[in-house]
Short mmCIF file of all heavy atoms in Angstrom, two decimals:
data_model
loop_
_atom_site.label_atom_id
_atom_site.label_comp_id
_atom_site.label_asym_id
_atom_site.label_seq_id
_atom_site.Cartn_x
_atom_site.Cartn_y
_atom_site.Cartn_z
N ILE A 211 -71.53 -67.06 41.40
CA ILE A 211 -72.78 -67.81 41.52
C ILE A 211 -73.02 -68.66 40.28
O ILE A 211 -73.34 -69.85 40.38
CB ILE A 211 -73.95 -66.84 41.76
CG1 ILE A 211 -73.76 -66.10 43.08
CG2 ILE A 211 -75.28 -67.61 41.77
CD1 ILE A 211 -74.78 -65.01 43.32
N VAL A 212 -72.84 -68.07 39.10
CA VAL A 212 -73.05 -68.81 37.85
C VAL A 212 -72.08 -69.98 37.76
O VAL A 212 -72.46 -71.11 37.41
CB VAL A 212 -72.88 -67.88 36.64
CG1 VAL A 212 -72.89 -68.68 35.34
CG2 VAL A 212 -73.99 -66.83 36.62
N GLY A 213 -70.81 -69.74 38.08
CA GLY A 213 -69.80 -70.79 38.00
C GLY A 213 -70.07 -71.93 38.95
O GLY A 213 -69.95 -73.10 38.58
N VAL A 214 -70.44 -71.60 40.20
CA VAL A 214 -70.71 -72.65 41.19
C VAL A 214 -71.94 -73.46 40.80
O VAL A 214 -71.96 -74.70 40.95
CB VAL A 214 -70.88 -72.03 42.59
CG1 VAL A 214 -71.40 -73.07 43.58
CG2 VAL A 214 -69.54 -71.48 43.09
N MET A 215 -72.97 -72.80 40.28
CA MET A 215 -74.17 -73.53 39.85
C MET A 215 -73.85 -74.48 38.70
O MET A 215 -74.32 -75.62 38.67
CB MET A 215 -75.26 -72.53 39.44
CG MET A 215 -75.86 -71.76 40.60
SD MET A 215 -77.12 -70.56 40.07
CE MET A 215 -78.34 -71.66 39.36
N MET A 216 -73.04 -74.02 37.75
CA MET A 216 -72.64 -74.88 36.64
C MET A 216 -71.79 -76.04 37.14
O MET A 216 -71.93 -77.19 36.67
CB MET A 216 -71.85 -74.06 35.61
CG MET A 216 -71.44 -74.84 34.38
SD MET A 216 -70.58 -73.78 33.17
CE MET A 216 -70.19 -74.99 31.90
N TYR A 217 -70.93 -75.77 38.10
CA TYR A 217 -70.08 -76.81 38.70
C TYR A 217 -70.93 -77.90 39.34
O TYR A 217 -70.70 -79.10 39.13
CB TYR A 217 -69.16 -76.16 39.73
CG TYR A 217 -68.39 -77.12 40.61
CD1 TYR A 217 -67.15 -77.60 40.22
CD2 TYR A 217 -68.91 -77.54 41.84
CE1 TYR A 217 -66.43 -78.48 41.03
CE2 TYR A 217 -68.20 -78.41 42.65
CZ TYR A 217 -66.97 -78.88 42.24
OH TYR A 217 -66.27 -79.75 43.05
N ILE A 218 -71.93 -77.50 40.11
CA ILE A 218 -72.81 -78.47 40.78
C ILE A 218 -73.59 -79.29 39.76
O ILE A 218 -73.70 -80.52 39.87
CB ILE A 218 -73.77 -77.74 41.75
CG1 ILE A 218 -72.97 -77.11 42.90
CG2 ILE A 218 -74.83 -78.69 42.29
CD1 ILE A 218 -73.81 -76.22 43.81
N TRP A 219 -74.12 -78.61 38.74
CA TRP A 219 -74.90 -79.29 37.69
C TRP A 219 -74.05 -80.32 36.96
O TRP A 219 -74.47 -81.48 36.79
CB TRP A 219 -75.43 -78.23 36.72
CG TRP A 219 -76.11 -78.76 35.51
CD1 TRP A 219 -77.29 -79.46 35.46
CD2 TRP A 219 -75.66 -78.64 34.15
NE1 TRP A 219 -77.61 -79.77 34.15
CE2 TRP A 219 -76.63 -79.27 33.33
CE3 TRP A 219 -74.56 -78.03 33.54
CZ2 TRP A 219 -76.51 -79.33 31.94
CZ3 TRP A 219 -74.44 -78.08 32.17
CH2 TRP A 219 -75.39 -78.72 31.38
N ALA A 220 -72.85 -79.94 36.55
CA ALA A 220 -71.98 -80.87 35.82
C ALA A 220 -71.51 -82.00 36.72
O ALA A 220 -71.42 -83.16 36.28
CB ALA A 220 -70.77 -80.12 35.26
N SER A 221 -71.24 -81.71 37.99
CA SER A 221 -70.79 -82.74 38.92
C SER A 221 -71.87 -83.79 39.18
O SER A 221 -71.59 -84.99 39.24
CB SER A 221 -70.36 -82.11 40.25
OG SER A 221 -69.27 -81.23 40.07
N LEU A 222 -73.11 -83.34 39.31
CA LEU A 222 -74.23 -84.27 39.53
C LEU A 222 -74.39 -85.20 38.34
O LEU A 222 -74.60 -86.41 38.51
CB LEU A 222 -75.52 -83.49 39.79
CG LEU A 222 -75.61 -82.78 41.15
CD1 LEU A 222 -76.87 -81.92 41.21
CD2 LEU A 222 -75.59 -83.78 42.30
N HIS A 223 -74.29 -84.64 37.13
CA HIS A 223 -74.44 -85.49 35.94
C HIS A 223 -73.24 -86.44 35.78
O HIS A 223 -73.43 -87.59 35.36
CB HIS A 223 -74.59 -84.62 34.69
CG HIS A 223 -75.99 -84.15 34.47
ND1 HIS A 223 -76.98 -84.96 33.96
CD2 HIS A 223 -76.58 -82.95 34.70
CE1 HIS A 223 -78.12 -84.29 33.87
NE2 HIS A 223 -77.90 -83.07 34.31
N GLN A 224 -72.05 -85.97 36.11
CA GLN A 224 -70.90 -86.87 36.03
C GLN A 224 -71.06 -88.03 36.99
O GLN A 224 -70.80 -89.20 36.63
CB GLN A 224 -69.61 -86.11 36.34
CG GLN A 224 -68.36 -86.95 36.11
CD GLN A 224 -67.08 -86.19 36.39
OE1 GLN A 224 -66.89 -85.67 37.49
NE2 GLN A 224 -66.20 -86.13 35.40
N HIS A 225 -71.50 -87.75 38.20
CA HIS A 225 -71.71 -88.83 39.18
C HIS A 225 -72.78 -89.81 38.69
O HIS A 225 -72.60 -91.03 38.79
CB HIS A 225 -72.12 -88.24 40.52
CG HIS A 225 -72.45 -89.28 41.55
ND1 HIS A 225 -71.49 -90.07 42.14
CD2 HIS A 225 -73.65 -89.70 42.05
CE1 HIS A 225 -72.07 -90.91 42.99
NE2 HIS A 225 -73.36 -90.70 42.95
N LYS A 226 -73.87 -89.28 38.15
CA LYS A 226 -74.94 -90.14 37.67
C LYS A 226 -74.45 -91.05 36.55
O LYS A 226 -74.79 -92.24 36.51
CB LYS A 226 -76.11 -89.29 37.19
CG LYS A 226 -77.35 -90.10 36.83
CD LYS A 226 -78.53 -89.21 36.53
CE LYS A 226 -79.79 -90.04 36.22
NZ LYS A 226 -80.96 -89.17 35.95
N CYS A 227 -73.64 -90.51 35.64
CA CYS A 227 -73.12 -91.31 34.53
C CYS A 227 -72.14 -92.37 35.02
O CYS A 227 -72.13 -93.50 34.50
CB CYS A 227 -72.45 -90.40 33.51
SG CYS A 227 -73.60 -89.34 32.60
N LEU A 228 -71.35 -92.06 36.03
CA LEU A 228 -70.43 -93.05 36.59
C LEU A 228 -71.19 -94.16 37.31
O LEU A 228 -70.77 -95.32 37.29
CB LEU A 228 -69.44 -92.37 37.54
CG LEU A 228 -68.42 -91.44 36.86
CD1 LEU A 228 -67.64 -90.64 37.90
CD2 LEU A 228 -67.46 -92.24 35.98
#
Side-chain angles (χ1 to χ4, degrees):
I211 297 173
V212 171
V214 170
M215 290 179 63
M216 182 177 178
Y217 170 89
I218 294 172
W219 173 66
S221 298
L222 289 174
H223 277 283
Q224 187 179 57
H225 176 72
K226 187 173 182 179
C227 291
L228 291 170

